[in-house]
Amino acid sequence: QVQLQESGPGLVKPSQTLSLTCTVSGDSISSGGYYWSWMHQHPGKGLEWIGYIYYSGSTYYNPSLKSRVTISVDTSKNQFSLKLSSVTAADTAVYYCVRGDGYSRFDYWGQGTLVTVSS
Amino acid sequence: QSALTQPASVSGSPGQSITISCTGTSSDVGAYNYVSWYQQHPGTAPKLMIYGVSNRPSGISSRFSGSKSGNTASLTISGLQAEDEADYYCSSYTGSSTLVFGGGTSLTVL
């Protein structure tokens, strides 16, 4: 069974960088075939795609966040990570890591982790 | 890259059928057969219900079906059950390896 688990600080100060890691079990990132994604959901709001990465390191980002987002992969640890810089309170959200085909089939989601931006 | 348009809420009685619409543009929903639908219960992660407009992942009830006409995709739930009460989100591929979601629809089972 494929499982994804987000980890990282639940509280980040304004202007700092939000950093999260997703650990994958039950599948190997380096086997290819999937895009490893980050989504977020602001409190009481809808979902938003942040971006995704292929095992080769190719990255694709939401244009609205592109200037602040970096997604990276560590195939040796079977993990991928999100960095979001210069955060504000508007970045407070639940962050999900997700496995997908890059187009439509985003089939395995982590449980989500709430990150609050506050001083 | 604007969000797809969904009704804020829909409702139906047990046993009935409901349809949730998802309207995009000729650059996303209308351009690709890459619409998916997710179900989200409060406090839980979204669950994939439909992908590729009309395909159901293994384990998803046949009561859930998807379709598309022009720039509008639809999710139909037949034989409504209490457990179907949740938020539903559509998403579409928009080209250039980007994705967009709808604002979500709250389904109430009366």
Side-chain angles (χ1 to χ4, degrees):
Chain A
Q1 177 74 342
V2 179
Q3 293 185 319
L4 293 86
Q5 178 67 58
E6 305 89 353
S7 60
L11 181 64
V12 180
K13 288 182 167 51
S15 80
Q16 294 190 340
T17 295
L18 178 160
S19 295
L20 295 174
T21 295
C22 182
T23 301
V24 179
S25 59
D27 191 9
S28 171
I29 291 177
S30 60
S31 65
Y34 293 103
Y35 289 77
W36 303 91
S37 314
W38 289 96
M39 318 279 193
H40 65 183
Q41 185 170 31
H42 298 102
K45 302 295 185 182
L47 295 162
E48 184 177 37
W49 172 72
I50 297 173
Y52 47 54
I53 189 166
Y54 198 56
Y55 80 99
S56 61
S58 296
T59 51
Y60 307 87
Y61 300 134
N62 186 324
S64 68
L65 298 168
K66 186 174 183 177
S67 63
R68 299 193 294 129
V69 174
T70 301
I71 297 177
S72 59
V73 64
D74 186 339
T75 54
S76 68
K77 294 182 179 179
N78 217 31
Q79 295 175 332
F80 62 107
S81 298
L82 168 70
K83 291 188 185 300
L84 182 64
S85 64
S86 306
V87 297
T88 69
D91 295 309
T92 293
V94 175
Y95 287 77
Y96 295 100
C97 57
V98 188
R99 187 189 83 165
D101 68 356
Y103 298 97
S104 175
R105 188 171 185 169
F106 293 84
D107 53 2
Y108 287 98
W109 294 61
Q111 65 183 23
T113 187
L114 173 63
V115 179
T116 301
V117 179
S118 175
S119 56
Chain B
Q1 189 182 17
S2 300
L4 306 176
T5 300
Q6 298 181 234
S9 63
V10 298
S11 62
S13 299
Q16 289 186 331
S17 294
I18 64 95
T19 297
I20 300 172
S21 62
C22 171
T23 301
T25 69
S26 57
S27 297
D28 40 60
V29 174
Y32 307 98
N33 288 324
Y34 291 134
V35 175
S36 50
W37 290 90
Y38 301 87
Q39 176 192 66
Q40 186 179 34
H41 289 109
T44 68
K47 177 182 180 181
L48 178 65
M49 305 302 284
I50 296 287
Y51 67 96
V53 175
S54 60
N55 299 291
R56 280 189 310 276
S58 175
I60 299 303
S61 170
S62 59
R63 296 187 299 106
F64 293 83
S65 62
S67 63
K68 189 186 86 166
S69 177
N71 297 336
T72 298
S74 299
L75 172 71
T76 297
I77 308 175
S78 60
L80 208 56
Q81 299 179 0
E83 67 205 49
D84 300 332
E85 185 162 294
D87 293 329
Y88 291 83
Y89 295 91
C90 63
S91 77
S92 176
Y93 181 72
T94 69
S96 302
S97 297
T98 59
L99 299 170
V100 65
F101 280 93
T105 298
S106 177
L107 169 62
T108 300
V109 180
L110 301 170

